[in-house]
Amino acid sequence: MKKIIYPVLLAVALLLSCNTGKKISYEIIKNDLRAPAYPLITIDPYTSGWSATDNLYDGNVKHWTSKDFPLIGAIRVDNTVYRFMGIEDIPKVTLVPDSERGEWTGKFVTAKPASDWMNPGFNDSAWSEGKGAFGTMENEHTAKTQWGTDYIWVRRNVVLDSDMKGKKVYLEYSHDDDAIIYINGIEVVNTGDACKKNVLQLLSDEVVATLKKGENLIAAYCYNRRGNALLDFGLVTEKEVSFQLANQAIQKSADVQATQTHYIFDCGGVELKLSFTAPLLMDNLDLISRPVNYITYNVSATDGKQHDVQVYFEAAPNWALDKALQPSISESFRKDNLLFLKTGSTGQKILGKKGDDVRIDWGYFYMVSGQDNATYSIGDPFLSRSDFAKNGNLKSDNNHKENANLAMAHSLGKVKDATGYIMIGYDDIRSIQYFGEDLKPYWNRDGNKTIEQMFVEANKEYDKLLQKCYQFDAQLIKAATQSGGKEYAELCALAYRQAISAHKLVEAPNGDLLFLSKENFSNGSIGTVDITYPSAPLFLYYNPELAKGLLNHIFYYSESGKWAKPFPAHDVGTYPIANGQTYGDDMPVEEAGNMLTVTAAVAAMEGNAKYAEKHWPVLTIWADYLAENGLDPENQLCTDDFAGHFAHNANLSIKAIMGVASYGWLADQLGKKDIAGKYTAKAREMAQEWMKMADDGNHYRLTFDKAGTWSQKYNLIWDKLLKFNIFPKEVREKEIAYYLTKQNKYGLPLDNRTTYTKTDWIMWSAALSDDPAIFRQFISPVYKFMNETTDRVPMSDWVWTDKPNQRGFQARSVVGGYYIKMLGDKMSKK
């Protein structure tokens, strides 16, 4: 393994002027995995920045949803500028606003008009008038006029200040479902059966030539085939600019560790080491909820000479917006010897949006550093870049500015070696709505702290936290390598920040810790039980209190009477609104088995069952449901709901058996011997029946009623880890041997129906084996997929096994399930 020395500056009071102070080095085993996407800023589901390219300067930094979150970095060495992060995009500006960037009105009808309705000369005086967008109120963050019928026709007159001929103009539109859009009578969009938001379509020269000074017409038709309805549109154009940061550094390496991502660049006569640090150390809940990350840079001469060095960072207001070009306001201020740059939307509708492909547009994004040797600019990014390129400084001012980028420059002077850092953070003000009550973030749960204080604390603790992060990263790689080998360790390192930052930590009104997941790029649910189940191993391993935080909201939902069914809910809402289940289907056996099993795992890690005792009545209801209904499940969904409903699911049956066994084991831990004996015996009886029903010769079936089928029986892992011994060991051994005959280039398929898989379940299935070599046989194809996939997104867990492509999902917390092998090793020592 290649080892790299990373410098860390300790006992330094200043952010800059770093030739003084004690500097120590850490020897880290480099992660050789070429990540599908590299984690840079990982705070929570909203404040999230990733590099989706091999070189940090080859593309924009992106939110995990793949929307651009521009973050640019450059270094000026002896008057020559090298860009090391991000790209210079041609900025787009609003020409005609859609409903998310301004107000507009249009004429509309819901009965079919005459055939020339889309032409500028058409008489629409009899049409109704309404505010855009048009749609059902389920799209409340965009729809302003209710439209719930099948069809709508809309005409919008827009006035332009000048002709557009020769310019690049885009139509931006959102639709649900079929849409046809015309500009000045020319058809420019015909979507067919589709549903998309904020699509940017470059208009042809023919269409742009019709966009004259004065009045123009955008006309649109939409057919609402099903469910929600939406129609919205506007025009966007490009701003004329001159690029300032065209010269790139030369990237030498990229290295993902658990809490940090490191890059090394050649920049003329100096080497630049750049580190992104998220101090997500799970033994400190206040720390992991503190919404501040660090970007550290170290410059060192490669020729032994001193060099005149300045470093530049720039962030776009996109970091505080759901959609690019939403109106924003930016400002600067100084406090506690720190320089604060701040941006946020002008709307500030706190907790005003929910959904999956949605970013935050309330609260404020911050870029912060020490004041010494720092200059800044709020405004046109191309002017800031020009100033930096010319003299290494920025023209500081304190004016509030609309739609402005934040830029900061550090002047290091003539140096051979220097280190500095900036801090990136976000104040979301209110994080979650929980059964009607808006909750503050955990770091401000008592309402007596400010974001400025968080930055001051982060600044004071910088040296200590970086030291802890380097130590933690090294320890994790060592432990994971011992547990599952080098490739396993490197996958675990990449999974760490992704899994944690897909959650939000808050405190419930009753004092419960809530560690609420967002079901990223799946359906946007909050607190999903079958997301908790696969992600739990990471949190069980490092801090069972966080594992409880994954369960508490579901216990409360049932115990409060708000959820009255004899099995747990699937979720408590759509992120960030947790007012009750919004998913359309229940998963009775799935969620009951999940809650019981993870509760047992918490008890095993804590060495007592006090948590289970607190929730004993509802656990009993769920265990009884599984005992009666779990052996041969009726037609229903399981956690692999993308595969659809089906009955007689053999793997789901195992989950039910594990749930009953968990209840029996917990009863034994609590001294309830009669109950323990009854339910443990029931679980053994169910297991014996299962073996007969599922047997298919050299393996076990996908469903009890279909011979010649197979599936991963990943739920069996808890029989091994929790030492229930409900199933004979031979069941696991037979399954593992069969799986080895079914592997493809990029992994083991989920079952016989298709070639896609779930990478978290592969880890669980691999951990069924007691042979380290066999475990690694299952891990290597997953590693190969992540190393070679052409889909450059934060790790997907739903992928094809015969081609390097994701099937769906990305950036989900379920990769916490990769820690199942490490968890098993830790449990075996208890």
Side-chain angles (χ1 to χ4, degrees):
M1 296 184 184
K2 185 176 181 181
K3 297 181 180 180
I4 293 183
I5 305 298
Y6 290 106
V8 182
L9 193 70
L10 296 180
V12 180
L14 301 177
L15 297 179
L16 303 170
S17 301
C18 296
N19 289 320
T20 62
K22 180 182 178 183
K23 186 168 67 177
I24 67 170
S25 297
Y26 283 95
E27 188 175 71
I28 296 293
I29 298 174
K30 183 181 180 299
N31 189 338
D32 293 322
L33 176 66
R34 185 235 58 181
Y38 291 86
L40 305 179
I41 306 298
T42 48
I43 291 175
D44 62 19
Y46 284 139
T47 308
S48 177
W50 299 72
S51 172
T53 53
D54 289 341
N55 297 309
L56 186 57
Y57 46 69
D58 283 344
N60 266 320
V61 173
K62 294 181 179 293
H63 187 260
W64 62 259
T65 56
S66 299
K67 297 294 192 299
D68 288 343
F69 267 20
L71 187 63
I72 287 178
I75 184 170
R76 189 172 181 267
V77 181
D78 299 327
N79 300 321
T80 299
V81 176
Y82 304 86
R83 175 172 43 85
F84 58 79
M85 176 170 59
I87 59 174
E88 291 189 278
D89 273 336
I90 298 175
K92 294 180 176 64
V93 294
T94 299
L95 184 63
V96 173
D98 65 3
S99 68
E100 295 189 60
R101 301 196 177 93
E103 294 186 354
W104 66 272
T105 59
K107 294 291 193 70
F108 72 97
V109 292
T110 56
K112 187 174 183 178
S115 60
D116 62 341
W117 67 273
M118 76 292 293
N119 293 328
F122 179 80
N123 183 0
D124 59 15
S125 60
W127 288 28
S128 300
E129 186 172 89
K131 289 185 177 182
F134 297 84
T136 50
M137 289 306 148
E138 286 83 353
N139 286 305
E140 69 274 5
H141 61 279
T142 47
K144 303 296 189 300
T145 297
Q146 173 68 23
W147 159 52
T149 59
D150 288 346
Y151 302 97
I152 194 169
W153 290 261
V154 177
R155 289 169 54 88
R156 179 184 180 186
N157 288 309
V158 299
V159 177
L160 301 180
D161 294 333
S162 62
D163 292 351
M164 292 291 110
K165 186 176 182 180
K167 297 182 180 180
K168 285 192 174 181
V169 181
Y170 299 79
L171 173 70
E172 182 172 18
Y173 63 95
S174 300
H175 64 104
D176 187 353
D177 300 287
D178 310 33
I180 303 175
I181 303 178
Y182 305 83
I183 293 180
N184 291 329
I186 302 173
E187 182 180 310
V188 295
V189 167
N190 193 329
T191 67
D193 184 3
C195 172
K196 294 184 178 180
K197 291 185 178 180
N198 301 99
V199 179
L200 275 179
Q201 179 162 316
L202 181 65
L203 298 178
S204 68
D205 292 342
E206 175 195 9
V207 174
V208 172
T210 72
L211 291 171
K212 303 293 187 182
K213 180 179 180 179
E215 196 168 277
N216 295 266
L217 176 72
I218 307 176
Y221 150 90
C222 196
Y223 169 30
N224 177 29
R225 291 178 178 266
R226 63 188 77 82
N228 299 339
L230 179 65
L231 180 62
D232 194 12
F233 47 82
L235 297 176
V236 171
T237 188
E238 290 184 349
K239 187 176 181 180
E240 295 182 7
V241 296
S242 175
F243 289 140
Q244 301 294 321
L245 308 177
N247 189 37
Q248 296 175 168
I250 299 173
Q251 184 174 306
K252 296 169 63 177
S253 70
D255 173 20
V256 178
Q257 300 291 326
T259 67
Q260 303 186 89
T261 300
H262 306 290
Y263 291 92
I264 299 177
F265 304 91
D266 272 338
C267 306
V270 305
E271 180 180 77
L272 168 67
K273 292 185 174 75
L274 190 74
S275 295
F276 297 84
T277 304
L280 298 174
L281 304 173
M282 283 187 273
D283 60 346
N284 185 333
L285 298 183
D286 286 301
L287 179 60
I288 67 167
S289 72
R290 182 192 293 165
V292 179
N293 281 191
Y294 304 101
I295 304 177
T296 301
Y297 57 84
N298 170 260
V299 294
S300 56
T302 56
D303 56 8
K305 300 177 181 178
Q306 286 192 333
H307 296 273
D308 188 31
V309 178
Q310 298 85 35
V311 182
Y312 174 90
F313 293 97
E314 176 198 309
N318 303 48
W319 284 83
L321 305 174
D322 179 26
K323 309 294 183 187
L325 304 183
Q326 278 183 257
S328 63
I329 188 76
S330 302
E331 63 174 310
S332 68
F333 60 93
R334 299 174 187 270
K335 189 174 182 179
D336 296 312
N337 203 33
L338 294 176
L339 169 64
F340 290 80
L341 305 185
K342 169 185 176 183
T343 188
S345 72
T346 58
Q348 288 300 308
K349 295 180 180 179
I350 295 175
L351 294 170
K353 293 184 179 180
K354 62 181 180 179
D356 190 4
D357 190 3
V358 175
R359 289 139 300 278
I360 195 169
D361 59 3
W362 65 88
Y364 296 92
F365 170 85
Y366 290 82
M367 186 160 63
V368 179
S369 87
Q371 298 186 58
D372 296 335
N373 304 321
T375 56
Y376 70 92
S377 175
I378 295 176
D380 185 328
F382 288 89
L383 294 179
S384 300
R385 297 167 200 167
S386 177
D387 287 342
F388 179 75
K390 288 175 182 176
N391 55 42
N393 294 310
L394 302 176
K395 297 175 181 178
S396 301
D397 64 65
N398 288 299
N399 295 329
H400 290 61
K401 293 191 176 179
E402 296 179 352
N403 309 319
N405 282 32
L406 312 178
M408 182 180 290
H410 290 173
S411 296
L412 308 185
K414 289 188 174 295
V415 294
K416 288 185 179 179
D417 188 273
T419 298
Y421 63 94
I422 68 168
M423 295 177 284
I424 298 290
Y426 205 101
D427 181 9
D428 60 7
I429 303 173
R430 299 288 188 278
S431 300
I432 301 292
Q433 187 174 100
Y434 186 66
F435 294 102
E437 184 167 345
D438 292 354
L439 302 183
K440 298 179 178 68
Y442 186 82
W443 62 266
N444 193 28
R445 57 195 177 277
D446 296 324
N448 57 359
K449 294 183 179 180
T450 67
I451 190 65
E452 291 88 353
Q453 289 173 320
M454 292 300 98
F455 279 105
V456 170
E457 287 182 13
N459 185 41
K460 288 179 179 177
E461 296 177 6
Y462 168 79
D463 301 332
K464 177 180 69 175
L465 288 179
L466 248 67
Q467 183 177 12
K468 285 186 175 181
C469 285
Y470 275 100
Q471 291 171 339
F472 178 85
D473 292 348
Q475 290 166 357
L476 188 149
I477 287 288
K478 180 180 178 181
T481 302
Q482 289 174 345
S483 184
K486 175 180 180 292
E487 291 179 336
Y488 174 69
E490 294 184 354
L491 289 169
C492 284
L494 180 58
Y496 187 84
R497 273 173 285 167
Q498 175 172 319
I500 298 172
S501 63
H503 296 82
K504 190 68 178 182
L505 190 66
V506 292
E507 185 177 88
N510 67 359
D512 280 347
L513 186 72
L514 303 177
F515 195 44
L516 295 165
S517 63
K518 179 176 183 183
E519 196 168 338
N520 290 345
F521 250 41
S522 177
N523 66 6
S525 290
I526 185 171
T528 306
V529 178
D530 55 289
I531 294 294
T532 288
Y533 178 69
S535 66
L538 172 63
F539 307 108
L540 288 163
Y541 185 91
Y542 283 108
N543 189 345
E545 287 300 318
L546 287 171
K548 294 178 192 176
L550 298 171
L551 306 176
N552 284 334
H553 56 287
I554 298 296
F555 279 123
Y556 171 78
Y557 198 10
S558 286
E559 291 165 350
S560 66
K562 299 176 189 297
W563 178 265
K565 297 178 183 180
F567 49 81
H570 168 272
D571 60 77
V572 288
T574 301
Y575 196 93
I577 308 301
N579 291 335
Q581 178 170 312
T582 52
Y583 191 64
D585 280 296
D586 293 333
M587 298 186 187
V589 173
E590 173 70 36
E591 311 304 22
N594 290 343
M595 289 296 294
L596 281 155
T597 304
V598 178
T599 300
V602 167
M605 295 306 293
E606 289 193 319
N608 67 76
K610 291 179 181 178
Y611 182 68
E613 187 174 29
K614 179 181 177 182
H615 301 291
W616 196 250
V618 75
L619 288 171
T620 302
I621 293 170
W622 297 340
D624 286 343
Y625 181 87
L626 292 178
E628 183 177 348
N629 301 283
L631 175 60
D632 189 5
E634 296 178 349
N635 188 42
Q636 61 188 272
L637 294 174
C638 69
T639 185
D640 306 316
D641 54 354
F642 48 82
H645 296 72
F646 62 104
H648 318 299
N649 183 337
N651 188 44
L652 185 59
S653 176
I654 294 174
K655 179 164 289 182
I657 297 168
M658 290 297 99
V660 175
S662 293
Y663 183 77
W665 181 82
L666 287 167
D668 184 67
Q669 301 301 301
L670 291 170
K672 303 175 186 291
K673 299 301 181 181
D674 290 346
I675 295 174
K678 175 184 174 182
Y679 284 87
T680 301
K682 179 62 177 178
R684 294 190 189 283
E685 175 191 321
M686 294 170 74
Q688 290 300 313
E689 284 299 310
W690 185 94
M691 291 169 63
K692 295 174 187 175
M693 296 162 63
D695 187 55
D696 208 48
N698 62 349
H699 68 281
Y700 295 97
R701 299 175 180 179
L702 167 67
T703 60
F704 297 133
D705 59 331
K706 293 182 181 178
T709 62
W710 69 275
S711 64
Q712 291 187 44
K713 307 301 189 301
Y714 50 82
N715 289 316
L716 269 173
I717 190 61
W718 296 107
D719 197 37
K720 176 184 177 183
L721 267 56
L722 294 171
K723 306 179 181 71
F724 292 157
N725 300 316
I726 298 296
F727 287 87
K729 184 179 178 181
E730 290 74 20
V731 173
R732 288 190 277 121
E733 292 174 341
K734 184 159 74 169
E735 281 290 283
I736 283 289
Y738 188 76
Y739 298 160
L740 288 171
T741 71
K742 295 297 180 181
Q743 289 221 97
N744 289 327
K745 181 177 181 180
Y746 295 114
L748 176 68
L750 187 63
D751 55 49
N752 60 271
R753 291 172 294 175
T754 183
T755 58
Y756 63 57
T757 194
K758 289 285 270 74
T759 59
D760 47 340
W761 299 146
I762 287 179
M763 298 285 180
W764 290 34
S765 293
L768 292 173
S769 174
D770 297 326
D771 186 335
I774 290 177
F775 176 81
R776 290 193 292 271
Q777 282 184 257
F778 289 104
I779 303 309
S780 286
V782 177
Y783 184 93
K784 185 177 183 65
F785 176 88
M786 297 302 174
N787 201 56
E788 297 180 2
T789 179
T790 55
D791 295 318
R792 305 305 297 272
V793 298
M795 277 199 294
S796 172
D797 54 289
W798 185 21
V799 305
W800 296 104
T801 61
D802 54 354
K803 55 187 176 183
N805 299 113
Q806 67 177 133
R807 173 61 180 84
F809 305 161
Q810 61 200 48
R812 301 208 308 166
S813 65
V814 300
V815 296
Y818 288 14
Y819 284 75
I820 194 76
K821 181 65 166 63
M822 293 176 68
L823 179 66
D825 292 345
K826 193 171 187 177
M827 282 182 164
S828 68
K829 298 174 184 177
K830 285 187 173 290

